[in-house]
Amino acid sequence: MEMYTKAETLELRRKHIGPSCKVFFPKDPIKIVRAQGQYMFDENGEKYLDCVNNVAHVGHCHPDVIKAAVKQMELLNTNSRFLHDSLVQYAKRLTATLPEQLSVCYFVNSGSEANDLALRLARQYSGHQDVITLDHAYHGHVTSLIDISPYKFNQLGKDSKKEFVHVAPSPDTYRGKYREDHPDPGSAYADDVTKIIEEAHKNGRKIAAFIAESMQSCGGQVIPPAGYFQKVAESVHKAGGVFIADEVQVGFGRVAKCFWGFQLQGEDFVPDIVTMGKPIGNGHPMSCVVTTREIAEAFGASGLEYFNTFGGNPVSCAIGLAVLDIIEKEDLQGHASRVGNYLVQLLNEQKEKHPLVGDVRGVGLFVGVDLVKDRQKRTPATAEAQHIIYKLKEQRILLSADGPYRNILKFKPPMCFSMEDAKHVVNQIDEILTDLEEVTTSNIGNGLPTSTHCKRKTPTDGSNHESNSHINRNRCRQENGFCTEGHKVPCKRIRT
Amino acid sequence: MEMYTKAETLELRRKHIGPSCKVFFPKDPIKIVRAQGQYMFDENGEKYLDCVNNVAHVGHCHPDVIKAAVKQMELLNTNSRFLHDSLVQYAKRLTATLPEQLSVCYFVNSGSEANDLALRLARQYSGHQDVITLDHAYHGHVTSLIDISPYKFNQLGKDSKKEFVHVAPSPDTYRGKYREDHPDPGSAYADDVTKIIEEAHKNGRKIAAFIAESMQSCGGQVIPPAGYFQKVAESVHKAGGVFIADEVQVGFGRVAKCFWGFQLQGEDFVPDIVTMGKPIGNGHPMSCVVTTREIAEAFGASGLEYFNTFGGNPVSCAIGLAVLDIIEKEDLQGHASRVGNYLVQLLNEQKEKHPLVGDVRGVGLFVGVDLVKDRQKRTPATAEAQHIIYKLKEQRILLSADGPYRNILKFKPPMCFSMEDAKHVVNQIDEILTDLEEVTTSNIGNGLPTSTHCKRKTPTDGSNHESNSHINRNRCRQENGFCTEGHKVPCKRIRT
């Protein structure tokens, strides 16, 4: 039962919650009161199809997760300075999903805590300070991670990049420096990392770590080309640094054929540190860093204890175990494979039909649709993407748009997302695109403003892609896909 | 039911958990399988009295907390980009416990995330970078907080203090620079902060924040003298910085007569930012930063969104609300006052009786006992404190010793700790102290090694107190009270 009307909730939120904490669809935010599986329900009982909540990994309010949580909450919830079976059992189960050398866990509370600890491990092990990060990367909200997240620090104006941070191009073969027509984009992008290391060395700097999401999420659903991680790891290791694979967004079977995103690069690639988060506890605040014995021992050698008050508590571990059980029991990887393939197939049909669809890419239930105004120039269709998101909301479908130009439709639904759901959302997109294109062809130009009122500068042609990192310095950026400013829905204008 | 024997649990822990994550009593760690109220039970059903777990604030496994959690888990657990009543209701209730101007909340997952965000708020608001912290302070485990935690960075060798960090003396009137015989220790300690600011300004540096626990916990259960915070705040404000009160350890009614530790300084003191943690969710991973509208607006003005995946989710908020309800319904502040006063009274009787007890200080259920080898010189009785802790464990009582010399017995039990519990633990301490003193008086010296094998250097006389910060550079430090190295229990030697 509701305590407040939506207007009252909003009013209290304005009064008591920091204005930097944005809501989805700020002009008409959604109030959600319950959720089940891949569906969310608002205060009027309206049902929304959820294509965005990768945190509710095994489905909203999964009964097995609740059962495990309650059982443990009734028994014990304390810190990891006491011995407890669920802690070690969970560590055993979790490391069993990883290559053998990744055997030592640190349990923490969020992806941000995990990535921060990963940096601490890397620095202590290597004795170095510098970090190589990818353009458009987002690794978390604490100070040390804003520093290595171009997605964030580029918004803070020039000179916001610290000296110890080195930004490598995002290995995006659709929109990046080396594209699908390059004979070996993996090596080419990796060579750029090698050059960065050489340059750093020339300046007397030393590399502690290369960090990358196994697939960039906020950066635009980027799937790195084959061989890229192997070659980067080789260079980074030569420089005495470590490879950190950030699996916070993509881990736990989302990519279907593997349990971890980095495993898509092949069995010959093993990162030195893996960080986990969002889906790990189906919404329960928990996360983990896994590394090698060697790095863990080096970290321990400083003599500094690592204590995390809530990390690895019995309730979190019980929930983590339940999530692993459900993924297995419900064959969610197999399901993600089948539904993901179907979704990509349906979206590719849209690509045949609609010139706005520039690229469809995805593995499992991690799928991106790159919208373009011009297929040759690959000009990002930012306003169109925002329009689609808002129109889908009217149809009770929650989808987001992200990437440096906010023109990439981003699918990362709960893993129980079904064939019917895929069909339904693509049908709706089809209708919206058809409407959009009708307007476009019946007008000079495309009927949409060339830039949204967010004033995000978009490149006018595809050759501009190298300067991507310099165009993010406006205030309309946000973290996880939805435009967080008052977005002028362009549909009204289009339809007149 | 146990999955593993204690030996197996330990073996798996060695294999899969980072060696920097220490257990209590490393020579013979405790395996806890369940807990209720202020009691914990090991795998053999042995019952321990818990004097240390301030996180289990309203008592281990409180049924009302579980009920609230389950009810919400069954309905919805998602992020704060959707509107939800429990988020705003919790923010409303939480800010109602604070002075009026502290009205804006940011919900995060841990004390570390809270303190890191507090620094971000302070820096954005002030436009400055530098931080003044207290000697022996501990504010969290992420990179930015290790930097401002002498408790941690002093262990990393010299040059581990960053340039932007300024360490002020801990306002400890028993062991610090200005003591109980000083006419106005509050002003004297505050003047030291003013001098630090002046010195920083001379060097062209600017102060973003002064941060302090409202009462230092790891630093040695230090209760700052009256007027100290007011005067510090005045200086810090003059310098354009803000005052951050870290309530992670001491908040939520523990100090009995007030809900927040900083309120003990009087109604004329209001910090600019308050951070919360540990007890806030009775073990559930959650925390909060509360600040003024002005600071929140300045933070928002950067245009950077603040998004925390798990922070402020409906389950965390429901649990937070339940904790507030229980504190009120069970009059836990009144209870803490009665039991805390009784505990301090019993401990003061021990001070009359046992020369080892140098100082007893406390408010509510935040109590410290400073053990000394010599009352005149106030030489820390480190080995004796460790001995007591280990002997209490044999009696199934969990207590910790902390502070820069690890000689302070530290009481911070669940708030349901009873009169009988207080009587019981003090009786046991009495017996142990009596035994210790028998040995001491029947031997030349005190029968205990002058330093433990941890090789913590202890000052040989009380005049040495100014150099405290320089003697922490060994490896036997730990975070929350228990010696985390193999501690040679001296009792056997003493008794022969």
Side-chain angles (χ1 to χ4, degrees):
Chain A
M1 228 183 51
E2 271 197 291
M3 193 176 289
Y4 300 112
T5 66
K6 186 166 162 180
E8 287 168 341
T9 307
L10 202 52
E11 187 48 38
L12 278 169
R13 181 162 172 136
R14 286 202 184 103
K15 195 169 171 189
H16 291 306
I17 303 295
S20 311
C21 306
K22 306 297 186 186
V23 290
F24 286 145
F25 306 105
K27 282 226 161 171
D28 182 26
I30 306 175
K31 183 169 180 178
I32 294 292
V33 299
R34 67 183 183 92
Q36 202 65 49
Q38 65 274 44
Y39 304 108
M40 304 184 92
F41 301 85
D42 72 11
E43 78 281 16
N44 301 315
E46 290 283 356
K47 180 176 163 182
Y48 290 79
L49 173 61
D50 179 1
C51 307
V52 295
N53 279 300
N54 56 339
V55 172
H57 193 59
V58 299
H60 289 282
C61 303
H62 196 295
D64 292 2
V65 173
I66 301 171
K67 210 185 294 172
V70 178
K71 193 179 159 194
Q72 189 56 53
M73 285 173 89
E74 284 172 344
L75 276 175
L76 176 69
N77 193 17
T78 193
N79 69 66
S80 63
R81 283 190 179 133
F82 299 101
L83 296 180
H84 196 270
D85 283 347
S86 70
L87 174 74
V88 299
Q89 175 65 5
Y90 185 42
K92 189 181 159 185
R93 286 279 303 278
L94 203 52
T95 52
T97 67
L98 286 159
E100 208 184 341
Q101 54 268 57
L102 290 165
S103 62
V104 183
C105 301
Y106 299 82
F107 290 104
V108 296
N109 305 303
S110 67
S112 290
E113 283 196 1
N115 281 332
D116 180 87
L117 178 57
L119 291 184
R120 290 187 59 199
L121 288 164
R123 285 176 170 148
Q124 176 70 28
Y125 172 75
S126 67
H128 304 165
Q129 285 302 312
D130 286 22
V131 178
I132 304 173
T133 186
L134 293 182
D135 206 3
H136 317 307
Y138 175 64
H139 293 292
H141 54 67
V142 298
T143 309
S144 64
L145 302 176
I146 302 281
D147 280 351
I148 62 160
S149 297
Y151 186 85
K152 283 287 176 186
F153 71 67
N154 276 338
Q155 297 176 63
L156 296 172
K158 67 188 175 77
D159 305 329
S160 58
K161 191 184 80 57
K162 301 267 167 78
E163 259 200 318
F164 70 84
V165 179
H166 310 274
V167 181
S170 167
D172 178 346
T173 54
Y174 180 71
R175 198 169 274 293
K177 201 172 165 184
Y178 313 108
R179 300 184 170 184
E180 68 285 350
D181 55 356
H182 190 285
D184 184 4
S187 296
Y189 280 114
D191 286 347
D192 278 1
V193 174
T194 308
K195 277 174 212 149
I196 284 170
I197 294 173
E198 286 164 2
E199 192 59 29
H201 285 177
K202 264 185 221 158
N203 296 321
R205 308 203 63 95
K206 288 175 174 174
I207 306 300
F210 171 90
I211 184 168
E213 285 185 278
S214 297
M215 288 177 295
Q216 277 199 304
S217 186
C218 294
Q221 304 291 89
V222 176
I223 302 167
Y228 174 62
F229 280 0
Q230 284 87 337
K231 291 198 172 82
V232 167
E234 207 184 315
S235 285
V236 172
H237 288 157
K238 240 182 239 166
V242 305
F243 192 114
I244 303 170
D246 177 341
E247 293 273 344
V248 170
Q249 292 263 8
V250 300
F252 290 90
R254 176 161 296 278
V255 302
K257 62 181 142 190
C258 308
F259 200 80
W260 302 105
F262 73 80
Q263 292 172 323
L264 292 171
Q265 293 268 317
E267 280 187 11
D268 57 334
F269 172 68
V270 180
D272 304 294
I273 301 174
V274 174
T275 58
M276 306 163 184
K278 299 189 189 288
I280 188 171
N282 214 45
H284 185 79
M286 57 186 284
S287 64
C288 187
V289 181
V290 186
T291 190
T292 62
R293 170 64 45 195
E294 199 185 343
I295 292 173
E297 297 285 356
F299 188 60
S302 78
L304 222 56
E305 180 182 353
Y306 181 79
F307 176 64
N308 188 304
T309 301
F310 305 128
N313 70 69
V315 173
S316 295
C317 292
I319 288 174
L321 280 164
V323 169
L324 293 180
D325 283 341
I326 296 163
I327 294 171
E328 213 173 288
K329 193 172 129 196
E330 299 183 5
D331 184 27
L332 289 181
Q333 283 182 251
H335 180 79
S337 172
R338 289 183 292 276
V339 179
N341 286 343
Y342 182 58
L343 178 62
V344 167
Q345 179 203 314
L346 293 174
L347 289 167
N348 272 320
E349 288 168 19
Q350 296 300 306
K351 187 177 161 186
E352 296 300 310
K353 197 171 162 186
H354 300 291
L356 268 166
V357 178
D359 189 37
V360 173
R361 53 189 180 251
V363 276
L365 284 170
F366 181 85
V367 175
V369 180
D370 197 315
L371 297 177
V372 294
K373 292 187 193 183
D374 180 313
R375 283 202 177 172
Q376 281 304 311
K377 295 179 179 168
R378 300 186 179 178
T379 327
T382 303
E384 291 79 356
Q386 295 305 310
H387 172 71
I388 293 168
I389 295 306
Y390 270 76
K391 292 304 283 181
L392 285 173
K393 182 205 171 204
E394 288 174 16
Q395 301 302 319
R396 311 276 178 250
I397 294 172
L398 301 172
L399 190 66
S400 68
D402 212 337
Y405 309 107
R406 283 180 27 253
N407 68 313
I408 320 244
L409 303 181
K410 189 170 154 186
F411 291 83
K412 48 183 181 80
M415 295 276 280
C416 49
F417 195 76
S418 73
M419 297 287 201
E420 296 69 37
D421 297 328
K423 184 83 190 148
H424 177 58
V425 62
V426 178
N427 279 347
Q428 296 299 320
I429 290 173
D430 187 10
E431 281 185 26
I432 299 166
L433 286 173
T434 306
D435 285 357
L436 256 178
E437 283 158 0
E438 263 174 36
V439 177
T440 310
T441 50
S442 67
N443 276 287
I444 303 162
N446 66 4
L448 280 169
T450 48
S451 69
T452 67
H453 82 293
C454 280
K455 299 220 178 63
R456 160 81 44 96
K457 210 164 115 195
T458 55
T460 47
D461 76 68
S463 67
N464 223 354
H465 47 74
E466 281 188 72
S467 62
N468 287 2
S469 67
H470 306 295
I471 65 163
N472 293 338
R473 288 178 194 137
N474 62 60
R475 293 198 170 176
C476 71
R477 292 307 315 277
Q478 33 68 60
E479 270 171 21
N480 230 352
F482 288 85
C483 180
T484 52
E485 295 201 347
H487 172 76
K488 234 175 240 161
V489 184
C491 51
K492 287 246 171 84
R493 239 180 341 128
I494 295 167
R495 283 174 186 261
T496 52
Chain B
M1 227 184 50
E2 270 199 291
M3 192 178 289
Y4 301 112
T5 65
K6 185 167 164 180
E8 287 167 341
T9 307
L10 202 49
E11 186 49 36
L12 278 169
R13 182 162 171 134
R14 285 200 185 106
K15 197 170 169 188
H16 290 305
I17 303 294
S20 311
C21 306
K22 306 297 187 188
V23 290
F24 286 144
F25 307 106
K27 283 225 159 170
D28 182 26
I30 306 174
K31 185 169 178 178
I32 294 292
V33 298
R34 67 184 182 91
Q36 202 65 50
Q38 65 273 47
Y39 303 107
M40 304 184 92
F41 300 85
D42 72 12
E43 78 282 15
N44 301 315
E46 291 281 357
K47 179 176 164 181
Y48 290 79
L49 173 62
D50 180 359
C51 307
V52 296
N53 279 298
N54 56 337
V55 173
H57 193 59
V58 298
H60 289 280
C61 302
H62 196 293
D64 291 0
V65 173
I66 301 171
K67 211 184 294 171
V70 177
K71 194 179 160 196
Q72 189 55 53
M73 285 173 88
E74 284 172 346
L75 277 175
L76 176 70
N77 194 17
T78 193
N79 69 66
S80 63
R81 282 189 180 134
F82 300 101
L83 295 180
H84 197 271
D85 284 347
S86 70
L87 175 75
V88 298
Q89 175 66 4
Y90 186 42
K92 189 180 158 184
R93 285 280 302 277
L94 203 51
T95 52
T97 66
L98 286 158
E100 207 183 342
Q101 55 267 59
L102 290 165
S103 63
V104 183
C105 302
Y106 299 83
F107 291 104
V108 296
N109 305 301
S110 66
S112 289
E113 284 195 0
N115 281 332
D116 180 88
L117 179 56
L119 291 184
R120 290 188 59 201
L121 289 164
R123 285 176 171 147
Q124 176 70 28
Y125 173 76
S126 66
H128 304 165
Q129 287 302 312
D130 286 21
V131 178
I132 305 173
T133 186
L134 294 182
D135 205 3
H136 317 308
Y138 175 65
H139 294 292
H141 53 67
V142 298
T143 308
S144 64
L145 302 176
I146 302 282
D147 280 351
I148 62 160
S149 296
Y151 187 83
K152 283 287 175 185
F153 71 68
N154 277 339
Q155 297 175 64
L156 296 172
K158 66 188 175 82
D159 305 328
S160 59
K161 189 184 82 55
K162 301 269 168 74
E163 257 199 318
F164 70 84
V165 179
H166 310 273
V167 181
S170 167
D172 178 347
T173 54
Y174 180 69
R175 198 168 275 294
K177 203 171 163 184
Y178 314 108
R179 301 185 171 182
E180 69 285 349
D181 55 356
H182 190 285
D184 184 3
S187 297
Y189 280 114
D191 285 347
D192 279 0
V193 174
T194 308
K195 278 176 210 147
I196 284 172
I197 294 173
E198 287 165 359
E199 191 61 28
H201 285 176
K202 265 186 219 159
N203 296 320
R205 309 203 64 96
K206 287 174 173 174
I207 305 302
F210 170 90
I211 184 170
E213 286 184 277
S214 297
M215 288 176 295
Q216 278 199 303
S217 185
C218 294
Q221 305 291 88
V222 176
I223 302 166
Y228 175 61
F229 281 179
Q230 282 89 332
K231 292 199 172 80
V232 167
E234 206 185 315
S235 285
V236 171
H237 288 157
K238 240 184 238 165
V242 305
F243 191 114
I244 304 170
D246 177 342
E247 291 273 344
V248 171
Q249 292 263 8
V250 300
F252 290 90
R254 175 161 299 277
V255 302
K257 64 183 138 185
C258 309
F259 200 78
W260 302 105
F262 73 80
Q263 292 172 323
L264 291 171
Q265 292 268 318
E267 281 187 13
D268 58 335
F269 171 67
V270 180
D272 304 293
I273 301 174
V274 174
T275 60
M276 307 165 182
K278 298 188 189 288
I280 186 171
N282 214 45
H284 186 77
M286 58 186 284
S287 63
C288 188
V289 181
V290 186
T291 190
T292 61
R293 171 62 48 194
E294 198 186 345
I295 291 174
E297 297 286 357
F299 188 60
S302 79
L304 222 56
E305 180 183 353
Y306 182 79
F307 176 63
N308 189 305
T309 300
F310 305 127
N313 70 69
V315 173
S316 295
C317 292
I319 289 173
L321 280 165
V323 169
L324 293 181
D325 283 340
I326 297 163
I327 294 170
E328 213 173 287
K329 192 173 127 193
E330 299 184 4
D331 184 27
L332 289 180
Q333 282 183 253
H335 181 79
S337 172
R338 291 182 292 275
V339 179
N341 286 343
Y342 181 57
L343 177 62
V344 167
Q345 177 203 317
L346 292 174
L347 288 167
N348 272 320
E349 287 167 21
Q350 296 300 306
K351 186 176 160 190
E352 297 298 311
K353 195 172 162 187
H354 301 290
L356 268 166
V357 178
D359 189 37
V360 174
R361 51 187 179 251
V363 274
L365 284 170
F366 181 86
V367 175
V369 180
D370 197 317
L371 298 177
V372 294
K373 292 185 192 186
D374 180 313
R375 284 201 175 173
Q376 281 303 311
K377 296 179 178 168
R378 301 187 179 178
T379 326
T382 304
E384 290 80 355
Q386 296 304 310
H387 172 72
I388 292 167
I389 295 305
Y390 271 75
K391 292 304 284 181
L392 284 173
K393 182 204 170 205
E394 288 174 16
Q395 302 302 319
R396 310 277 177 250
I397 294 171
L398 301 173
L399 190 66
S400 68
D402 212 335
Y405 309 108
R406 284 179 28 253
N407 68 313
I408 317 242
L409 303 182
K410 190 171 153 184
F411 291 83
K412 49 184 180 81
M415 294 275 280
C416 49
F417 196 78
S418 72
M419 297 286 200
E420 295 69 36
D421 297 328
K423 182 85 193 150
H424 177 58
V425 61
V426 177
N427 278 347
Q428 295 300 319
I429 290 173
D430 186 10
E431 281 186 25
I432 299 166
L433 286 172
T434 306
D435 283 357
L436 256 176
E437 283 158 358
E438 261 175 35
V439 177
T440 311
T441 50
S442 67
N443 276 288
I444 301 160
N446 66 3
L448 279 170
T450 49
S451 69
T452 67
H453 82 295
C454 282
K455 298 218 177 65
R456 159 81 46 93
K457 210 162 116 195
T458 53
T460 46
D461 76 67
S463 67
N464 224 353
H465 47 76
E466 281 187 71
S467 62
N468 288 1
S469 68
H470 306 294
I471 64 163
N472 292 336
R473 290 177 193 136
N474 63 61
R475 295 197 169 177
C476 69
R477 291 308 313 278
Q478 33 67 59
E479 271 172 17
N480 228 353
F482 287 85
C483 182
T484 52
E485 293 199 347
H487 172 78
K488 233 176 238 160
V489 184
C491 52
K492 284 250 171 79
R493 238 178 349 124
I494 294 167
R495 285 177 183 261
T496 52

